[in-house]
Amino acid sequence: MKVLPIVWQRLVTADGETCERCGNTYLEMVHAVEILRQELHPLGIEPVLRTKTISENEFKAHPEESNRIWIGNKALEEWLDAKAGESQCCAACGDANCRTLQLDAVEYEAIPQQLILKAALKAAAMLL
């Protein structure tokens, strides 16, 4: 079985909290990976999700690294021909702007399942 690595990282505070957009992205990610498991299994591909945390100090130095997704060792925005953006978030993020995804004229704060699936299917096609 070929492995399709999916890595998602986000800020986790000392209190174990994360921002709402990261929490929502996580829920979308879990649903997407379940669909990918069902759809890719007949093709001999196993999606493997790994989550990473960013400390508050790491986030302060590089806020653009939070809520970031890689699929098959390539950033999600590369698969989608999208761009990373930023916007004000919530208390967990402090004064720093949190990562967004800009695709066409739409800015996504939480990454929706359909975009994760689209990128993952492109990556899976490269494994065939």
Coordinates of all heavy atoms in Angstrom, one line a residue, residues 101-108:
L101 N -6.4 31.0 3.5 CA -6.2 30.5 2.2 C -7.0 31.3 1.2 O -8.2 31.4 1.4 CB -6.5 29.0 2.1 CG -6.3 28.3 0.8 CD1 -4.8 28.1 0.6 CD2 -7.0 27.0 0.6
Q102 N -6.3 31.8 0.2 CA -7.0 32.6 -0.8 C -7.0 31.8 -2.1 O -6.0 31.5 -2.7 CB -6.3 33.9 -1.0 CG -6.3 34.8 0.2 CD -5.5 36.0 0.1 OE1 -4.6 36.2 -0.7 NE2 -5.7 37.0 1.0
L103 N -8.2 31.5 -2.6 CA -8.4 30.8 -3.8 C -9.4 31.6 -4.7 O -10.5 31.8 -4.3 CB -8.9 29.4 -3.6 CG -9.1 28.5 -4.8 CD1 -7.8 28.3 -5.5 CD2 -9.7 27.2 -4.3
D104 N -8.9 32.0 -5.8 CA -9.7 32.9 -6.7 C -10.1 34.1 -5.9 O -9.2 34.7 -5.4 CB -10.9 32.1 -7.3 CG -10.6 30.9 -8.1 OD1 -9.6 31.0 -8.8 OD2 -11.3 29.9 -8.0
A105 N -11.3 34.5 -5.8 CA -11.7 35.7 -5.0 C -12.1 35.4 -3.6 O -12.7 36.3 -2.9 CB -12.7 36.4 -5.8
V106 N -12.0 34.1 -3.2 CA -12.5 33.7 -1.9 C -11.3 33.5 -0.9 O -10.3 32.9 -1.2 CB -13.3 32.4 -2.0 CG1 -13.9 32.0 -0.7 CG2 -14.4 32.6 -3.0
E107 N -11.6 34.0 0.3 CA -10.6 33.8 1.4 C -11.2 32.9 2.4 O -12.3 33.2 2.9 CB -10.2 35.2 2.1 CG -9.2 35.0 3.2 CD -8.7 36.3 3.7 OE1 -9.6 37.2 4.0 OE2 -7.5 36.5 3.8
Y108 N -10.5 31.8 2.7 CA -11.0 30.8 3.7 C -10.2 30.9 5.0 O -9.0 30.9 4.9 CB -10.8 29.4 3.1 CG -11.6 29.1 1.8 CD1 -11.0 29.3 0.6 CD2 -12.9 28.7 1.9 CE1 -11.7 29.1 -0.6 CE2 -13.6 28.4 0.7 CZ -13.0 28.6 -0.5 OH -13.7 28.4 -1.6

